[in-house]
Amino acid sequence: MIEAQVLPTPIGPLSLLVRQGVLVAAGFTAEPGEMLARLTPELQAAGMKVVDDLGPVTRAVRAYFDGDLDALDTIPVEQPGSATRKRLHQALREVRAGTTVSYAELAERAGLPRTAARVAGSACSQNLIAPFVPCHRVLPSGGGYGGYFYGVPVKEWLLAHESASRPALF
């Protein structure tokens, strides 16, 4: 059984889906069923129930929005994908809050050539666990914010939150 919770955040509701203590989906929507529909058929077949509290996941989300930018990093996550996509998602989790990388840099961090920027972009677009797998921290090398599944204003807000909450290092 997948347990789901919808938490209010400063940028709208965040749906969280957990199976056996592992986060399998998260996204800025008030409808956890939308997240369930993006999962594999096997996970969908497990069923879903909405709960009031997901324990460590709930606490991590609240801490993150209260300014503890590393709180999401401690939550175990799992999502489907090829070995390459899994490496890219792991590399995303290693991009520190308050910083950004380009798609080409993300590809390099995952052990791919810089020319694999489109592969990195595809991994970001297929990410099921935002903001825990922080694809919002990837920007086009040509400037701007690029796209974001939940809308560019959400991406801009997350980046501003992380920049404001992370003290500058000198």
Side-chain angles (χ1 to χ4, degrees), residues 2 17 24-25 34-44 80 128:
I2 293 175
L17 279 65
V24 295
E34 291 176 9
M35 300 306 304
L36 183 68
R38 296 181 69 200
L39 297 177
T40 63
E42 294 79 20
L43 284 176
Q44 291 177 30
L128 300 175

Side-chain angles (χ1 to χ4, degrees), residues 42-118:
E42 294 79 20
L43 284 176
Q44 291 177 30
M48 179 180 74
K49 71 175 179 176
V50 176
V51 299
D52 292 332
D53 192 320
L54 292 170
V57 176
T58 301
R59 288 190 298 278
V61 169
R62 289 184 175 136
Y64 171 80
F65 284 104
D66 285 343
D68 179 359
L69 301 180
D70 299 324
L72 303 181
D73 299 344
T74 63
I75 301 300
V77 300
E78 184 178 314
Q79 59 185 315
S82 66
T84 298
R85 180 165 291 158
K86 287 178 185 284
R87 285 197 333 257
L88 285 159
H89 286 161
Q90 180 57 44
L92 272 170
R93 287 205 89 188
E94 294 166 6
V95 177
R96 189 165 187 218
T99 66
T100 60
V101 297
S102 70
Y103 292 100
E105 290 169 320
L106 178 62
E108 278 188 324
R109 288 177 179 216
L112 302 170
R114 288 183 69 82
T115 55
R118 286 182 187 239

Side-chain angles (χ1 to χ4, degrees), residues 108-133:
E108 278 188 324
R109 288 177 179 216
L112 302 170
R114 288 183 69 82
T115 55
R118 286 182 187 239
V119 174
S122 176
C124 288
S125 71
Q126 298 299 312
N127 177 25
L128 300 175
I129 311 177
F132 294 79
V133 177

